[in-house]
């Protein structure tokens, strides 16, 4: 049996106000081609199927067509709700979908109703845990409202349920748990794997939980972190299929393929990494104004790329961004990092009714640009301030 672990599709997402629908469609085409060629039996999506609790009609149609195509290819799908999803929306029509081999899991009750699939005499039991807000589910379960307490209690109950089922007529050969959470090996803070596009789910400043919560299961398919990597050998993040911020620019987006085979009376698992060819073209360009405008090194990124420009120079000329846009088709982000930062005073003069607004504006520009205004700029600013003040008085 072959199982493909994915997560964090974030269908409907935008990148600096640009729709990613085209790239999501390319990813889905590639996914279905790959899954068909590899003869995948089961596809897992561990939360954040949608990017929003209120996806557009175009986005819901994309998911619907995707599930139809997977069903026609004979691929069964288990998907769970993440912190971005609307559980009610994602779980709509779950009964009908289940008859087509599509199993959305969006509630705590459904967590304890595992999906059981059989292929080549291998029985796999899948428990999907949707994102469980600890403030709400801590009260529901009568335990501390923390991620560790809620997930720990749910995993304990899953283990008990799994043991009861294994004592019955159809024991599972392999048990998988899906979870949408922030997991590290020992439950300690690990900022190195985070990205700026992941929504903060911390409660009281704490969101990390230890991988030991999932002890006793054969594989844990995690979602929420957008980077693909193993927390432990059998507890892994598949990561998102596309980068969703410049902090994910270097990510090698992909998935994990689990190949289960029956050998000598037991099931063996081989885990392979797979990298998607579909890429969102991101590039961070850093240099002085002259380098950014003239260097041949940056020529490949003038078109088709989402660029983050980091200007490192003595000062930021007026109209810098307009000039850069003459060369680069799509500047998604611009940052000015002055080479020689002007020291900032520890105290600022108090602004009163008699404070000259032009002086406040001059100080602001000098701080932002790390250089004072030039004489012509100062005159233009004073003229604008005078006009604004005069206009207010005449009104």
């Amino acid at each position: 049996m072959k199982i493909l672990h994915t997560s964090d599709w974030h269908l409907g997402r935008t990148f600096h106000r640009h729709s990613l629908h085209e790239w999501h469609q390319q990813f889905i085409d590639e996914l279905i081609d790959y899954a068909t060629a590899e003869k995948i039996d089961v596809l897992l999506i561990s939360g954040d199927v949608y990017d929003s609790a209120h996806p557009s009609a175009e986005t819901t149609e994309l998911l619907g067509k995707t599930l139809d195509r997977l069903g026609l290819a004979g691929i069964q799908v288990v998907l769970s709700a993440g912190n971005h999803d609307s559980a009610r929306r994602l779980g709509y029509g779950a009964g009908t979908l289940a008859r087509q081999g599509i199993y959305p899991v969006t509630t705590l009750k459904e967590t304890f109703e595992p999906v059981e699939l059989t292929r080549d005499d291998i029985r796999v039991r899948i428990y999907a845990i949707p994102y469980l807000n600890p403030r709400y589910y801590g009260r529901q379960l009568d335990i501390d409202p923390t991620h560790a307490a809620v997930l720990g209690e749910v995993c304990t109950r899953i283990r008990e349920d799994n043991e009861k089922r294994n004592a019955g007529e159809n024991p599972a050969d392999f048990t998988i748990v899906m979870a949408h959470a922030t997991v590290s090996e020992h439950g300690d803070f690990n900022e190195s794997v985070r990205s700026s596009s992941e929504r903060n789910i911390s409660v009281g400043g704490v969101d990390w939980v230890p991988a030991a919560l999932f002890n006793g299961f054969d594989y844990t398919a995690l979602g929420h972190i957008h980077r693909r990597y193993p927390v432990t050998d059998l507890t892994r993040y598949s990561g998102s299929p596309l980068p969703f911020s410049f902090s994910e620019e270097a990510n090698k987006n992909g998935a994990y393929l689990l190949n289960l085979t029956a050998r000598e009376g037991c099931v063996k698992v081989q885990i392979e990494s797979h990298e998607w060819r579909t890429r969102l073209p991101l590039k961070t360009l850093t240099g002085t104004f002259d380098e950014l405008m003239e260097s041949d090194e940056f020529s490949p990124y003038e078109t088709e790329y989402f660029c983050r420009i980091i200007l490192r120079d003595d000062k930021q000329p007026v109209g810098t961004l307009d000039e850069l846009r003459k060369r680069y088709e799509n500047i998604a982000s611009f940052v000015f990092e002055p080479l020689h930062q002007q020291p900032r005073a520890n105290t600022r003069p108090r602004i009163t009714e008699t404070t000259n607004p032009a002086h406040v504006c001059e100080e602001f520009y000098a701080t932002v640009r790390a250089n004072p205004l030039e004489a012509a700029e100062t005159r233009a600013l004073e003229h604008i301030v005078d006009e604004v003040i005069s206009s207010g008085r005449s009104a």
Side-chain angles (χ1 to χ4, degrees), residues 242-372:
L242 298 170
F244 298 125
S245 70
F246 283 104
S247 63
E248 301 169 37
E249 182 179 334
N251 285 5
K252 303 297 184 183
N253 301 85
Y256 283 117
L257 174 61
L258 283 63
N259 191 356
L260 308 184
T261 55
R263 296 179 185 173
E264 301 174 356
C266 63
V267 170
K268 304 289 185 181
V269 59
Q270 180 181 1
I271 303 173
E272 299 176 5
S273 293
H274 177 74
E275 186 175 325
W276 302 120
R277 294 189 309 275
T278 301
R279 293 288 300 164
L280 188 65
L282 307 182
K283 187 64 179 179
T284 297
L285 307 176
T286 303
T288 65
F289 180 74
D290 289 341
E291 289 170 342
L292 290 166
M293 290 298 296
E294 299 172 7
S295 175
D296 292 338
E297 176 188 353
F298 301 143
S299 296
Y301 313 110
E302 293 176 351
T303 61
E304 299 181 0
Y305 273 79
F306 292 100
C307 293
R308 172 172 61 174
I309 303 291
I310 300 178
L311 173 63
R312 289 182 179 159
D313 215 324
D314 291 321
K315 64 179 182 178
Q316 179 182 343
V318 175
T320 297
L321 200 50
D322 290 335
E323 289 300 311
L324 288 169
R325 285 196 172 116
K326 292 178 182 178
R327 180 176 189 187
Y328 302 103
E329 181 180 62
N330 191 353
I331 299 177
S333 175
F334 175 79
V335 179
F336 174 50
E337 295 181 354
L339 290 176
H340 306 290
Q341 181 69 52
Q342 295 289 325
R344 297 187 182 183
N346 293 328
T347 59
R348 296 290 186 193
R350 184 184 177 196
I351 297 176
T352 68
E353 291 183 2
T354 60
T355 302
N356 186 334
H359 292 167
V360 177
C361 294
E362 286 180 50
E363 185 177 292
F364 169 77
Y365 279 109
T367 300
V368 171
R369 295 170 55 181
N371 276 281

Side-chain angles (χ1 to χ4, degrees), residues 70-121:
L70 289 165
L72 289 172
I75 300 167
Q76 302 188 76
V77 183
V78 183
L79 61 159
S80 59
N83 57 294
H84 279 250
D85 295 306
S86 163
R88 179 175 297 179
R89 184 181 296 272
L90 193 64
Y92 180 78
T96 301
L97 289 171
R99 289 191 286 274
Q100 302 172 32
I102 310 295
Y103 305 93
V105 178
T106 60
T107 68
L108 180 61
K109 179 177 179 292
E110 291 168 341
T111 295
F112 307 112
E113 299 169 358
V115 177
E116 297 198 15
L117 305 171
T118 303
R119 176 69 182 267
D120 297 331
D121 296 327

Side-chain angles (χ1 to χ4, degrees), residues 169-180:
E169 296 181 357
N170 297 305
D173 299 296
F174 199 85
T175 302
I176 294 174
V177 168
M178 300 165 60
H180 196 84

